[in-house]
Amino acid sequence: MARIDDLLDRMTLEEQVSLLSGEDFWSLPAIDRLGIGKLRVTDGPNGARGGGSLIGGVKSASFPVGIALGATWNVDLLEEVGAALAEEVKSKSAHVLLAPTVNIHRSVTNGRNFECYSEDPILTARLAVAYIEGLQGQGIGATIKHYAGNESEIERTTISSQIDERTLRELYLVPFEAAVKVARTWGVMSAYNKLNGVYASENPWLLTTVLRNEWGYDGVVMSDWFGSHSTAPTVNAGLDIEMPGPTRDRGDKLVAAVRDGAVSAQTVRERARNVLHLLERTGAIDDRRPFEEHADDRAEHRALIRRAAAEGMVLLRNEGGVLPLEPMPGRIAVIGPNARTAQIMGGGSAQLNAHYRVSPWQGLVDALGRERLVYAPGATNHRFEPLIEGTFSVAFFANTELAGEPVHHGTQTNAEAFWIGRIADGKVDPLNFSARLTGTYRPEETGLHRVGLFSAGLARLYIDGRLVADSWAGWTPGRTFFEEGNDEVIGEAMLEAGRSHKVVIEFATRPARTLAVAGLRAGIGLPLGDEAISEAVAAALDAETALVFVGRNGEWDTEGSDLASIDLPGRQNELVAAVAAANPRTVVVLQTGGPVEMPWLDKVAGVIEAWYPGQEAGNAIADVLLGTAEPGGRLPQSFPVQWGDNPTRSQDPEVYPGLNGKVRYEEGLFVGYRHYEKTGIAPLFPFGFGLSYSRFALSEPEVDASGFEADASVRVSVWLTNTGERAGSDVVQLYVGDDEASLERPAKELKAFAKVALEPGETRRIVFDLKDRDFAFYRPEARHWLVEAGTFTLHLGRSAADIAFSASVGRATTLMLPV
């Protein structure tokens, strides 16, 4: 730290302050006088987008999303993914990845569940630690997020998450604590929301008392983008960096706050020290390379993505051994809205411009050949009308009235724009401009088309000179563009097949609510009717097997918008039921960011949950369907029978989705499988569930509790055998229950797990070493963890509902543990 101390001694107050906010959207400023380089960050967590917009930009590798990685239950794989992402970050000349996302799946409708690993804190923590170690082992900083209480996307930048301390300590803080204490993460991102009435970005209990004083954190805390709201309160609470730049509340304001005594010079020095430490750790402090971003499409990353995607897919049903399909003669009907569209990622800040996208149709064509396959869409599942593709010319104006001559001309490849930071070559103020987009649309069919438009700003769309969709007059905030945009406005236009219809979209900025972004999206679609389902049924009747690809997409599973339900959108349930009635060998492949209701479940032969598996989606799905790879996933989130069964169901809207600026975590510790066990509600599929193409047997466990009285340690050993004819993997799960707790505790909680791959007939010994915290609960009034005297039950099995063996251990004394 001698170099850092020397730099701090030589820096002026203004130079120290300059390090505490972004220079632009993705970087901190260099200090050339002292030879301090520029630090660059890039969004994750399922790729490294680089310094461009959320739309377009330099291409990047798209990895499986968080819930898909969570479903792998594979710690070693997550470390591999972290190391590969470090290479991706380097290809974008960045030093820090804004990842991983470790918020807990509290509800089943959180729009960002796809980005998070699990409903369980221990599974989340272990995977996050491995991801961080893989990333930072290659010299790239992790920024674990969002600290803390960011489990929904409704009023997300202002709502207060009301969470009691015990629930925080035992659930929501666990992954962050492990990231700090075990993985030694270099970065933490504060959440947008308030925690118990105080913004996370200026919450001294979160940022200083817990993070630094109790956990010993020595890294950087940065705000989420536009997620800091003050000068002295954020700096004094422990927020090191305000993002993005240029600064809103620091710079001259912070210098003045020091002069006025609201912030001490020593506090600024400590914040600058943390930033310099990050610069030193990542090598950014001495990085003088020219800024270059490369689209490195690496063969080894392609292979890793394909393998990880298959390993996260969960086989939920396999009646009569319908899967795997090969070897199998006969025709295959490929049906559904996700069959020819590659749904590879969720929406929001995690999205990127993938190198390529492989659809399930293409994956099956490549594996089997085109002649065996027949296709029928059957239904749609889009939330918004299909994006208008094709070249649009864009004229930018340095005012909000589209007045005068354009100051810049550009082009784009579709009718979607997301403008942040420097736009139009810097010729317009990104918060005060207007634009006119001009292009054409050639429909494939004649008919009355639906025209959709929404915008972060004001917009209106004309077709052949007629105003068709108006997102300008009467604009009201909605659930698009991170809650900065309105909900989609729908108009109608009669369009003629093969004719080039002129499309003009006018746009102007408006004052931001919280996030200083601007954008628009326009789509045109022709609705599918009953005939589409009839065509799908006909295809299924004429096939040996019907594969139905249904689910959601990144329009539904997205940052900034929770789901209204867990029904499959549109007429997809009707489609599945109709196809299943026509063909008993119907297999449903789901692609969602979380649970869905399945009213047709007992009518179909097979179900696979494939999530959003990255750019190799179709290849990995074909691998699993055909048996080239096994479905290696186990559910990281419980699937309820219906939405009303989930833990956040309540007649009180303050519990969910929130009311009057508060969302109350009334269920406390009883999230996910803990809730279903407490209430006696059987889930559709329990946490940890997943079928295999092989069979496995567990031996009765051996329990060594000789150290339990002294230090609350227990060793559990068990043998796992592959008794099937195929190689495969299984996940052995160990849960702990406190039989005599003085405070209410869940009946059992996951404390250890192991994923083991075995050849047919192979046996392997698995050893779990449980520690004191695995038996403890938190006592807020005493501010310590407590292992009580009494009996504890160890449950060993393959899911929260499939327990093969149980054993008891006991102790006569209590054991108090520090925070």
Side-chain angles (χ1 to χ4, degrees):
M1 301 294 284
R3 181 184 183 185
I4 292 176
D5 287 333
D6 177 64
L7 286 171
L8 288 168
D9 290 341
R10 295 163 58 197
M11 293 171 73
T12 66
L13 173 64
E14 288 77 8
E15 287 171 331
Q16 291 181 8
V17 165
S18 74
L19 293 178
L20 307 187
S21 58
E23 179 178 54
D24 53 35
F25 227 79
W26 304 112
S27 71
L28 298 187
I31 303 178
D32 293 331
R33 182 182 74 85
L34 298 174
I36 297 172
K38 179 188 290 288
L39 179 85
R40 294 186 178 90
V41 305
T42 180
D43 249 327
N46 56 292
R49 186 175 59 247
S53 170
L54 302 189
I55 299 166
V58 177
K59 290 189 173 182
S60 304
S62 175
F63 285 73
V65 301
I67 196 170
L69 293 176
T72 70
W73 291 64
N74 189 332
V75 174
D76 294 337
L77 177 64
L78 267 287
E79 187 169 353
E80 281 189 77
V81 169
L85 286 171
E87 294 177 324
E88 292 291 319
V89 173
K90 291 174 184 178
S91 76
K92 302 301 184 285
S93 290
H95 310 94
V96 172
L97 185 66
L98 305 178
T101 307
V102 298
N103 298 101
I104 299 298
H105 295 160
R106 175 185 180 239
S107 74
V108 293
T109 49
N110 178 14
R112 215 164 180 178
N113 272 355
F114 78 90
E115 198 175 321
C116 311
Y117 294 134
S118 175
E119 69 185 29
D120 183 81
I122 297 300
L123 176 57
T124 298
R126 286 197 58 195
L127 296 177
V129 164
Y131 180 106
I132 292 168
E133 290 177 341
L135 191 66
Q136 294 186 169
Q138 303 300 315
I140 296 297
T143 314
I144 195 166
K145 59 187 184 182
H146 305 87
Y147 184 65
N150 182 191
E151 276 73 39
S152 59
E153 291 294 291
I154 295 172
E155 298 180 17
R156 72 200 195 106
T157 60
T158 56
I159 204 161
S160 177
S161 298
Q162 304 296 115
I163 315 174
D164 68 88
E165 186 178 354
R166 183 180 172 212
T167 299
L168 279 167
R169 297 277 192 175
E170 294 189 28
L171 280 182
Y172 298 102
L173 296 186
V174 169
F176 296 98
E177 182 180 10
V180 170
K181 291 183 175 180
V182 181
R184 311 302 298 178
T185 184
W186 298 346
V188 171
M189 181 184 290
S190 63
Y192 281 124
N193 53 277
K194 298 171 185 173
L195 180 66
N196 297 324
V198 181
Y199 276 114
S201 60
E202 54 190 59
N203 192 311
W205 182 81
L206 265 183
L207 303 187
T208 296
T209 301
V210 174
L211 185 62
R212 294 202 186 275
N213 296 346
E214 294 178 1
W215 296 349
Y217 180 57
D218 65 353
V220 154
V221 180
M222 71 174 67
S223 76
D224 207 335
W225 267 229
F226 305 101
S228 63
H229 306 274
S230 62
T231 303
T234 61
V235 177
N236 289 333
L239 185 74
D240 298 307
I241 303 173
E242 171 206 56
M243 287 300 288
T247 183
R248 300 169 306 285
D249 295 309
R250 298 196 170 185
D252 292 342
K253 290 182 181 179
L254 181 50
V255 172
V258 174
R259 308 286 191 218
D260 295 341
V263 178
S264 73
Q266 182 59 33
T267 297
V268 169
R269 181 184 173 96
E270 286 306 306
R271 301 284 166 267
R273 174 188 297 278
N274 294 334
V275 176
L276 288 172
H277 193 193
L278 179 62
L279 285 160
E280 191 171 59
R281 280 170 155 167
T282 61
I285 196 167
D286 295 315
D287 190 350
R288 302 293 183 271
R289 295 171 300 167
F291 176 65
E292 295 177 341
E293 293 189 329
H294 302 285
D296 290 344
D297 185 6
R298 300 174 181 234
E300 62 271 27
H301 290 181
R302 288 185 172 210
L304 174 59
I305 291 166
R306 187 168 179 167
R307 174 162 54 91
E311 191 162 342
M313 293 181 191
V314 185
L315 180 61
L316 297 175
R317 184 174 173 87
N318 194 19
E319 292 301 296
V322 65
L323 295 174
L325 296 179
E326 282 294 287
M328 186 206 72
R331 197 168 180 81
I332 299 174
V334 181
I335 295 167
N338 285 354
R340 279 191 167 174
T341 302
Q343 305 295 358
I344 69 172
M345 67 182 82
S349 61
Q351 65 188 327
L352 48 78
N353 188 16
H355 291 303
Y356 55 88
R357 297 167 177 248
V358 181
S359 70
W361 170 263
Q362 188 60 54
L364 289 166
V365 167
D366 291 345
L368 298 175
R370 172 68 179 81
E371 61 280 358
R372 289 184 58 185
L373 308 176
V374 60
Y375 165 73
T380 62
N381 66 355
H382 54 254
R383 177 181 174 187
F384 309 122
E385 292 305 315
L387 180 65
I388 305 172
E389 301 284 355
T391 301
F392 279 79
S393 62
V394 188
F396 291 91
F397 300 83
N399 55 69
T400 58
E401 292 78 37
L402 297 153
E405 291 297 316
V407 296
H408 182 75
H409 291 275
T411 60
Q412 57 188 61
T413 58
N414 55 39
E416 185 175 27
F418 187 82
W419 292 299
I420 54 175
R422 189 173 186 269
I423 61 174
D425 282 348
K427 295 175 183 176
V428 300
D429 179 345
L431 304 180
N432 185 29
F433 74 95
S434 56
R436 180 178 290 115
L437 288 68
T438 303
T440 59
Y441 178 75
R442 288 170 59 95
E444 295 182 0
E445 298 181 46
T446 297
L448 188 64
H449 288 66
R450 287 166 55 90
V451 181
L453 177 68
F454 60 87
S455 53
L458 309 176
R460 52 198 173 210
L461 185 151
Y462 300 84
I463 296 180
D464 297 332
R466 183 175 73 87
L467 179 62
V468 175
D470 192 348
S471 180
W472 193 299
W475 185 98
T476 55
R479 297 181 302 143
T480 64
F481 288 113
F482 311 103
E483 294 189 317
E484 291 292 336
N486 65 326
D487 290 329
E488 188 179 34
V489 173
I490 299 293
E492 292 182 332
M494 180 62 70
L495 304 179
E496 181 182 336
R499 177 186 166 193
S500 293
H501 295 271
K502 183 178 181 181
V503 177
V504 175
I505 307 169
E506 295 179 338
F507 173 86
T509 57
R510 62 178 304 280
R513 301 172 70 197
T514 301
L515 312 182
V517 300
L520 63 86
R521 184 192 184 281
I524 299 178
L526 190 64
L528 293 180
D530 293 343
E531 69 282 356
I533 293 180
S534 297
E535 290 172 6
V537 168
L541 283 168
D542 192 38
E544 178 80 13
T545 303
L547 303 177
V548 188
F549 295 89
V550 292
R552 300 194 294 257
N553 54 45
E555 296 173 357
W556 299 99
D557 290 301
T558 182
E559 180 180 355
S561 178
D562 275 11
L563 297 159
S565 75
I566 56 170
D567 289 333
L568 285 175
R571 301 180 67 182
Q572 293 182 98
N573 281 332
E574 187 179 349
L575 172 66
V576 173
V579 171
N583 190 322
R585 287 177 56 85
T586 293
V587 175
V588 175
V589 179
L590 290 166
Q591 286 197 262
T592 66
V596 292
E597 295 180 14
M598 303 182 203
W600 34 259
L601 180 62
D602 61 351
K603 305 294 194 302
V604 302
V607 180
I608 291 175
E609 174 58 83
W611 317 107
Y612 302 127
Q615 65 193 28
E616 286 282 336
N619 288 332
I621 289 171
D623 288 344
V624 169
L625 289 171
L626 302 177
T628 305
E630 70 153 349
R634 303 294 184 266
L635 288 181
Q637 183 178 20
S638 308
F639 276 40
V641 174
Q642 57 190 353
W643 183 90
D645 295 343
N646 92 90
T648 57
R649 80 195 198 290
S650 175
Q651 298 301 312
D652 184 351
E654 190 174 284
V655 173
Y656 185 83
L659 182 68
N660 296 327
K662 294 180 181 179
V663 56
R664 190 175 77 250
Y665 287 42
E666 186 178 67
E667 72 286 347
L669 299 173
F670 296 93
V671 168
Y673 63 89
R674 301 165 173 81
H675 157 80
Y676 296 102
E677 189 143 7
K678 178 184 179 182
T679 60
I681 299 172
L684 185 64
F685 295 106
F687 172 80
F689 176 82
L691 303 174
S692 173
Y693 289 159
S694 194
R695 299 185 304 276
F696 297 87
L698 276 173
S699 71
E700 187 165 349
E702 301 171 8
V703 179
D704 179 359
S706 58
F708 192 47
E709 186 67 47
D711 62 3
S713 64
V714 175
R715 170 165 285 190
V716 179
S717 304
V718 65
W719 293 88
L720 179 70
T721 303
N722 183 346
T723 60
E725 292 74 42
R726 295 173 59 99
S729 64
D730 203 8
V731 179
V732 182
Q733 303 160 39
L734 178 58
Y735 298 80
V736 173
D738 186 342
D739 300 347
E740 306 167 34
S742 59
L743 295 180
E744 185 179 28
R745 301 188 71 178
K748 61 176 177 286
E749 299 171 274
L750 181 73
K751 295 300 178 181
F753 62 90
K755 187 167 194 177
V756 182
L758 298 173
E759 294 296 319
E762 185 181 1
T763 298
R764 190 172 305 169
R765 183 170 182 250
I766 303 165
V767 177
F768 297 115
D769 286 312
L770 299 177
K771 307 296 184 184
D772 47 20
R773 275 281 292 269
D774 295 320
F775 299 92
F777 63 86
Y778 186 74
R779 296 181 67 202
E781 69 281 0
R783 297 190 67 252
H784 65 227
W785 294 85
L786 181 68
V787 182
E788 286 190 313
T791 304
F792 297 80
T793 300
L794 313 179
H795 304 278
L796 200 70
R798 292 198 186 84
S799 79
D802 179 11
I803 300 301
F805 299 101
S806 295
S808 294
V809 295
R811 52 180 294 120
T813 59
T814 61
L815 178 64
M816 291 184 292
L817 310 172
V819 290

